[in-house]
Amino acid sequence: MDRMASGWINGFIGVVIFSGSLPATRVAVMQFDPVFLTVARAAIAGILALGLLIAFREKRPSRGDILSLAVVVGFPLLTALALQHVTSAHSIVFIGLLPLATAIFGVVRGGERPKPAFWLFSVLGSALVAGFALTQGLTASPVGDLLMLAAVVVCGLGYAEGGRLSRTLGGWQVISWALVLSLPVTAAVALLHRPATFTGIEAPALLGLAYVSLFSMLIGFIFWYRGLSQGGIAAVGQLQLLQPFFGLALAATLLDEPVTWAMLAVTVAVILCVAGARRFAR
């Protein structure tokens, strides 16, 4: 299997894992405070990542890599702040812009040069995702919108930096060091917002917390950054267009949420855009 194909497979696995975050979070926030859930999952993943780095005696990143690693963890913080002002459905409008932001930073920071047709499919795919979200009856919040826009910019840059660093540090090492660098902050905030007691918290909420900690914050990124480094940041980044629809499909399967024909039609159109972007990525 060539490097490009391997990159797309790893990226796809990462996106599928990330898609499970939506139903897992919805179950977890039924009994956990959203702020606690956001920082606790990063803190738990950071403790696990620290154990991995120590066990495998990984060398420390260079001083020049520290800023790039810090950018990697900016997205969860900004989205957590934004979701205090907007709904998760509203955030999909901006998540639809994330693959385009990732591709732009892939050019700026990764030195990639996709063909002009790639940008056509990327813009069209982003417009389909954002347009679908806008049809769901959303209300605007200037503060939330600005925070989400900042989150998209930071995340696009973080993905580009993570994909670039993975070429030298390795995929799991990049996310591990990023989580460890943020651990003092995430652990402190998690302790501050922890529940008064864990008595009475049921198994589904605990499993949701476990999923977003282990898979969404650690394992998913191992595949994702490996995919970006192998298949190209701009190209593999387009797989993010599928994440909202995978999440909605999982929510329909696990939480009995409705799936409409419009959702299925947009999903098929987005898949075609991703396929077109893949063809013209190099």
Side-chain angles (χ1 to χ4, degrees):
M1 183 182 299
D2 62 42
R3 185 176 176 82
M4 174 67 77
S6 179
W8 277 83
I9 291 172
N10 281 313
F12 182 80
I13 293 172
V15 166
V16 171
I17 292 173
F18 293 150
S19 300
S21 302
L22 176 62
T25 300
R26 286 180 179 175
V27 171
V29 295
M30 292 179 182
Q31 294 189 289
F32 286 116
D33 175 75
V35 175
F36 169 77
L37 180 66
T38 300
V39 293
R41 69 180 191 172
I44 293 169
I47 293 170
L48 294 172
L50 179 61
L52 287 173
L53 292 170
I54 293 174
F56 288 96
R57 299 181 179 180
E58 291 294 322
K59 66 177 182 179
R60 296 180 182 180
S62 66
R63 184 174 299 179
D65 293 336
I66 298 297
L67 181 59
S68 295
L69 290 168
V71 171
V72 168
V73 296
F75 180 67
L77 175 60
L78 288 168
T79 50
L81 294 173
L83 288 173
Q84 296 180 53
H85 302 276
V86 299
T87 64
S88 57
H90 187 99
S91 68
I92 293 177
V93 175
F94 295 90
I95 299 302
L97 302 175
L98 186 51
L100 186 59
T102 303
I104 291 171
F105 283 114
V107 171
V108 175
R109 296 292 297 160
E112 299 181 0
R113 293 293 182 270
K115 296 178 180 178
F118 166 86
W119 297 105
L120 174 63
F121 284 107
S122 181
V123 171
L124 180 58
S126 293
L128 284 168
V129 175
F132 172 77
L134 287 170
T135 64
Q136 305 306 299
L138 306 177
T139 57
S141 167
V143 174
D145 289 349
L146 285 173
L147 286 169
M148 278 305 305
L149 186 60
V152 167
V153 173
V154 170
C155 190
L157 176 58
Y159 282 166
E161 294 296 325
R164 184 180 62 83
L165 290 175
S166 294
R167 297 167 185 169
T168 54
L169 291 179
W172 74 268
Q173 292 91 338
V174 168
I175 187 57
S176 294
W177 281 116
L179 289 167
V180 168
L181 284 173
S182 65
L183 184 56
V185 175
T186 55
V189 178
L191 288 173
L192 183 64
H193 289 273
R194 71 186 186 279
T197 176
F198 285 86
T199 304
I201 295 178
E202 299 175 355
L206 292 172
L207 289 173
L209 174 60
Y211 185 92
V212 295
S213 302
L214 181 59
F215 289 93
S216 302
M217 291 300 296
L218 185 59
I219 296 176
F221 276 105
I222 294 174
F223 287 99
W224 181 242
Y225 283 138
R226 185 183 300 167
L228 291 175
S229 65
Q230 292 176 330
I233 296 167
V236 175
Q238 299 307 300
L239 286 169
Q240 296 169 98
L241 290 169
L242 303 175
Q243 184 175 328
F245 302 102
F246 286 164
L248 292 171
L250 286 171
T253 303
L254 300 175
L255 304 177
D256 295 324
E257 296 189 1
V259 175
T260 64
W261 285 106
M263 187 188 303
L264 293 175
V266 174
T267 301
V268 171
V270 168
I271 290 173
L272 293 175
C273 288
V274 173
R278 182 183 187 277
R279 180 177 179 182
F280 295 104
R282 289 180 181 272

